[in-house]
Amino acid sequence: MTAADKKNRRYHHGDLRNALIVAAAELIEEGGCDDFALVDAARRAGVSSAAPYRHFRDREDLLQAVVELASWELSCRTRKVLAEHPRGSRECILALGKCYVSFVTDHGAFYDLLWGDSSNRRQGSQPPPTGKREGFGLFLSAVAAWCDGSAVTEQDPLDLSLKLWALAHGLAGLAMHHQFDLIDASPDIDELLASAGNSLLDGVELARDHTKR
Amino acid sequence: MTAADKKNRRYHHGDLRNALIVAAAELIEEGGCDDFALVDAARRAGVSSAAPYRHFRDREDLLQAVVELASWELSCRTRKVLAEHPRGSRECILALGKCYVSFVTDHGAFYDLLWGDSSNRRQGSQPPPTGKREGFGLFLSAVAAWCDGSAVTEQDPLDLSLKLWALAHGLAGLAMHHQFDLIDASPDIDELLASAGNSLLDGVELARDHTKR
DNA sequence: TGTACATCAGTGAACGCGCGTTCACTGATGTAC
DNA sequence: TGTACATCAGTGAACGCGCGTTCACTGATGTAC
């Protein structure tokens, strides 16, 4: 914060809790969720290093709030896509995948925060963020709607959802962590996703012939 | 180390460099690669905290050695699978995917180390580990061999490889980080991979119809 | 085969740093009367 | 409308801890003569 900011600022911040969550989210975005320091978030919000303890039990508690924010944003984006595409349509499924990838691309650090190692270690202390369950629930029901309406029968919506999720998750992760650069490839992620997604949606019978030998 | 160990141990370790790499790998496996402390690796190898500096420039240098070890192991496993399956066959491709997933499952922490956030931040300082490029190169050529031999024409081996990689990568990551637990699913990963992999191998023409509108 | 000496691979103590967290405090706010 | 007071939301200084790294050192090893 600049000197002018300091002058203008009132003693009471007004919305410090949210300011800290946003500051923390930005810091995580910049440096990864393991390097994130509570002190830095306070600094960025323009308060002393002790101030956060008026709003959060400890560092972990603030981190959890960021997770809630992130998963809430993902489920918002998901609902938006659902509203924009006819329920049960193929484009709807593909658009959801694209939405997932762009969410990861837009908020790189949230990938690890939500689905990475640190998210994993944080379990047990707190229940999983509601947005995560909700997001997948929305996706699953969209896939189920497609299964209902499609000519392809006997497709298990849960299995299909998991496959599509894994595909989008893998593509997003590899792209976001610049792994394609390392092998000298620079694919169009959206196109790969659409093409592979269509294969998954269509390829049921053929696949079944092979796996059931 | 126990008192007995200390008694038996010679002043010169003999193979401290490798012992440190292994200790570091174990620690990373247990606590993630961001929590890993050089001091702990030294402790585990039974030497003072200054000893590692006889073999590594700094913490990062040791971490890089662990990456080399990990990527070397992956390319070894890959070669083993290639030797066990006929070149150009469908099972070969599927077995490679299964191999990738089991590598991740066996060495959870290497996932983030090799393809995660920290791997990303580490770039620039050092060239990417050779094992990574080599591993993908082997996979790509296996896929290309399948494309050559299969009835399906006009399939770009690189694109197909990336799709299959992303699928296996996503499945492995989600499974390893226990994300399926959070949504109350406990799928058979190998079966999902085989089924979805077959769809990707087969679904070319159908997919093309849809993407090219 | 024995000895002097250079080199190597460790030790242990210490440093500096940054971070999480606590504590006594103080300025601002809202409310009862 | 004014005042007393409880409560809230900050401050700033300090702490303890663990880690990365350095430094002067010393025990072990190998080699030239």
Side-chain angles (χ1 to χ4, degrees):
Chain A
M1 77 186 330
T2 66
D5 286 340
K6 198 143 204 164
K7 216 172 178 181
N8 292 331
R9 199 169 56 84
R10 297 203 312 283
Y11 186 89
H12 282 97
H13 184 284
D15 194 25
L16 183 55
R17 188 186 153 85
N18 284 321
L20 284 169
I21 295 174
V22 170
E26 288 171 3
L27 284 165
I28 289 168
E29 201 106 11
E30 292 162 20
C33 59
D34 284 288
D35 278 8
F36 155 71
L38 191 56
V39 176
D40 288 335
R43 236 192 304 267
R44 180 166 295 210
V47 294
S48 73
S49 67
Y53 290 88
R54 295 289 159 200
H55 300 275
F56 300 96
R57 203 175 50 258
D58 53 17
R59 178 182 186 276
E60 197 50 46
D61 198 27
L62 172 53
L63 222 46
Q64 199 64 32
V66 177
V67 171
E68 286 294 344
L69 175 69
S71 67
W72 177 81
E73 188 187 330
L74 178 58
S75 69
C76 281
R77 287 189 179 210
T78 302
R79 266 190 297 273
K80 187 159 175 291
V81 170
L82 287 173
E84 287 169 351
H85 294 83
R87 181 169 172 79
S89 69
R90 175 180 292 258
E91 324 101 68
C92 181
I93 310 291
L94 296 178
L96 285 171
K98 198 171 165 180
C99 163
Y100 186 87
V101 170
S102 69
F103 174 76
V104 171
T105 312
D106 291 351
H107 302 292
F110 289 175
Y111 184 84
D112 288 313
L113 192 67
L114 288 175
W115 301 289
D117 198 35
S118 51
S119 106
N120 199 17
R121 266 177 287 162
R122 215 174 301 114
Q123 291 313 322
S125 50
Q126 260 119 344
T130 49
K132 262 167 92 171
R133 294 181 88 96
E134 191 187 308
F136 183 77
L138 291 170
F139 179 60
L140 176 57
S141 80
V143 171
W146 178 82
C147 286
D148 281 351
S150 84
V152 178
T153 52
E154 289 194 37
Q155 171 72 285
D156 179 356
L158 178 58
D159 272 9
L160 182 55
S161 301
L162 294 178
K163 291 175 197 172
L164 288 164
W165 182 21
L167 175 69
H169 188 75
L171 268 179
L174 291 173
M176 196 255 302
H177 289 137
H178 303 106
Q179 298 301 322
F180 296 133
D181 299 358
L182 298 186
I183 54 157
D184 301 317
S186 49
D188 180 325
I189 304 298
D190 283 341
E191 199 166 309
L192 273 187
L193 178 67
S195 155
N198 271 314
S199 297
L200 291 180
L201 289 173
D202 286 324
V204 201
E205 299 89 348
L206 277 164
R208 200 182 306 120
D209 294 344
H210 287 291
T211 50
K212 298 234 167 125
R213 267 159 269 189
Chain B
M1 81 185 325
T2 66
D5 286 341
K6 198 140 205 166
K7 214 170 176 183
N8 291 333
R9 199 169 54 85
R10 296 202 315 280
Y11 186 89
H12 282 96
H13 184 286
D15 194 24
L16 184 53
R17 188 186 152 85
N18 284 321
L20 284 169
I21 295 174
V22 170
E26 288 171 2
L27 284 166
I28 288 168
E29 202 106 9
E30 292 162 20
C33 59
D34 284 289
D35 278 9
F36 155 72
L38 191 57
V39 177
D40 287 336
R43 235 192 305 267
R44 181 166 294 213
V47 293
S48 74
S49 67
Y53 291 88
R54 295 289 158 198
H55 301 274
F56 300 96
R57 202 175 49 258
D58 53 18
R59 178 183 187 275
E60 196 51 47
D61 198 28
L62 172 52
L63 222 45
Q64 199 64 33
V66 177
V67 171
E68 286 295 345
L69 175 69
S71 66
W72 178 79
E73 189 188 328
L74 178 58
S75 69
C76 280
R77 286 188 181 209
T78 302
R79 265 190 298 273
K80 187 159 175 289
V81 169
L82 287 173
E84 287 168 350
H85 294 83
R87 181 170 173 78
S89 69
R90 175 180 293 259
E91 325 101 68
C92 181
I93 309 291
L94 295 178
L96 285 170
K98 197 171 166 180
C99 162
Y100 186 87
V101 170
S102 69
F103 174 76
V104 170
T105 312
D106 291 351
H107 303 290
F110 289 173
Y111 184 84
D112 287 312
L113 192 67
L114 287 176
W115 302 288
D117 198 35
S118 51
S119 105
N120 201 18
R121 266 177 289 163
R122 213 173 304 114
Q123 290 314 323
S125 50
Q126 261 118 346
T130 48
K132 263 167 91 170
R133 295 181 88 96
E134 191 187 307
F136 183 78
L138 290 169
F139 179 59
L140 176 57
S141 81
V143 170
W146 178 82
C147 287
D148 282 349
S150 84
V152 178
T153 52
E154 289 193 39
Q155 171 72 286
D156 179 358
L158 178 59
D159 272 9
L160 182 55
S161 299
L162 294 177
K163 291 176 196 172
L164 287 164
W165 182 21
L167 175 69
H169 188 75
L171 269 180
L174 292 173
M176 197 254 304
H177 289 135
H178 302 104
Q179 299 300 324
F180 296 133
D181 300 358
L182 298 185
I183 54 158
D184 301 319
S186 49
D188 180 326
I189 305 298
D190 284 340
E191 199 166 309
L192 274 187
L193 179 66
S195 156
N198 271 314
S199 297
L200 292 180
L201 289 173
D202 285 324
V204 202
E205 298 91 347
L206 278 164
R208 201 182 306 121
D209 294 344
H210 288 288
T211 50
K212 299 236 167 121
R213 272 158 268 187

